[in-house]
Amino acid sequence: MLLHVTEALTAEQVRSCRERLSTAQWADGRVTAGYQSAQAKRNGQLPETDPLARDLGELVTQAVLAHPTFFAGALPRHVYPPLFNRYTDGEQFGFHIDNAIRYDRRTTPALPLRTDLSATLFLSGPDEYAGGELVVEDSFGTHAVKLPAGDLLLYPGSSLHKVTPVTRGTRIASFFWIQSLIRDASQRRILFDLDVAIQTLQQNGGSDAQTLLSLTGVYHNLLRQWSET
Ligand code: NI
């Protein structure tokens, strides 16, 4: 499932991130790529150890964890510290699949995280650059995505994806991975659909309180059965 999360960051948070990133020291993006994907990757990236990346990464993590759609879609167990990248001057990242395991080095020993989900948070508006689409292949076909600044795309870590060349302007984004409480994507999808249906019933007045209660119970019992903590 591809999930568009609107306003993962508020306009004010985007503005503040962009301002702080305007003086960033961008390094060669190949530092976080595996051997194979390094061949396809050409962009700038903030080093993981850069205090700015850590600060802004913390802001992004707190924001997404508090966002109801992100939370319902990802059911996060662990969020990898968000990273930041920049594409300009024809830079691109060809088709690749993200590494299955990443190590969160904020703890000793480093904590292995399984990348069930990948997230891209757009920090540049679509009018600021040409090209730079995030193209994701899933079982339903190929999707080219370019979202407003502050919006986020959540997509399966297992999917083949690329960023097309940025032919004008600059595209700045944050990207990160999530290990979910629910490893299986189809189970995660069922829980998301059920959650959305329950929320909609509630918003529509929730006149049948007994049925709502029972559906909410079903949701939690499935979550209990399927989750790994
Ligand atoms: Ni990737």
Side-chain angles (χ1 to χ4, degrees), residues 93 96-98 118 155 161 175 177:
F93 194 169
H96 65 282
I97 291 179
D98 294 340
S118 300
Y155 56 101
H161 58 279
F175 64 102
W177 298 276

Side-chain angles (χ1 to χ4, degrees), residues 8-229:
L9 292 189
T10 63
E12 175 53 30
Q13 286 172 319
V14 170
R15 198 198 55 74
S16 146
C17 282
R18 286 289 299 274
E19 189 178 308
R20 297 186 63 191
L21 286 166
S22 65
T23 55
Q25 301 291 310
W26 299 100
D28 189 322
R30 282 172 284 203
V31 287
T32 53
Y35 171 76
Q36 226 178 7
S37 59
Q39 316 296 309
K41 188 175 186 185
R42 213 155 53 77
N43 67 0
Q45 193 170 304
L46 274 193
E48 300 196 30
T49 50
D50 188 317
L52 181 59
R54 290 198 165 160
D55 258 28
L56 296 182
E58 188 55 31
L59 181 149
V60 170
T61 304
Q62 295 310 323
V64 296
L65 288 178
H67 194 292
T69 309
F70 178 90
F71 199 91
L75 292 169
R77 180 181 188 280
H78 191 91
V79 176
Y80 190 84
L83 297 168
F84 296 84
N85 61 17
R86 181 186 68 170
Y87 291 84
T88 191
D89 278 336
E91 288 176 328
Q92 61 175 307
F93 194 169
F95 268 126
H96 65 282
I97 291 179
D98 294 340
N99 287 356
I101 305 288
R102 307 215 60 115
Y103 288 89
D104 182 350
R105 299 189 192 284
R106 290 174 302 180
T107 57
T108 313
L111 182 71
L113 172 148
R114 190 185 60 234
T115 57
D116 296 323
L117 291 155
S118 300
T120 295
L121 168 62
F122 290 76
L123 293 172
S124 300
D127 50 335
E128 293 182 77
Y129 58 96
E133 279 96 2
L134 172 62
V135 177
V136 182
E137 278 192 1
D138 69 4
S139 45
F140 295 103
T142 303
H143 314 271
V145 181
K146 195 172 190 175
L147 300 180
D151 286 14
L152 176 149
L153 187 77
L154 204 53
Y155 56 101
S158 55
S159 53
L160 200 58
H161 58 279
K162 69 175 176 181
V163 176
T164 63
V166 170
T167 53
R168 172 182 63 76
T170 300
R171 175 196 192 270
I172 294 174
S174 175
F175 64 102
F176 54 98
W177 298 276
I178 301 106
Q179 180 168 333
S180 178
L181 292 164
I182 309 293
R183 178 177 188 167
D184 184 272
S186 60
Q187 291 177 336
R188 206 182 309 118
R189 174 66 192 261
I190 290 168
L191 287 169
F192 179 73
D193 289 343
L194 182 55
D195 193 356
V196 169
I198 291 170
Q199 304 293 336
T200 307
L201 280 177
Q202 253 158 4
Q203 278 155 20
N204 292 347
S207 54
D208 189 347
Q210 205 54 44
T211 308
L212 257 179
L213 191 67
S214 120
L215 283 174
T216 306
V218 170
Y219 175 85
H220 283 284
N221 288 333
L222 284 174
L223 184 56
R224 198 183 335 272
Q225 193 157 97
W226 291 342
S227 59
E228 42 182 50
T229 56

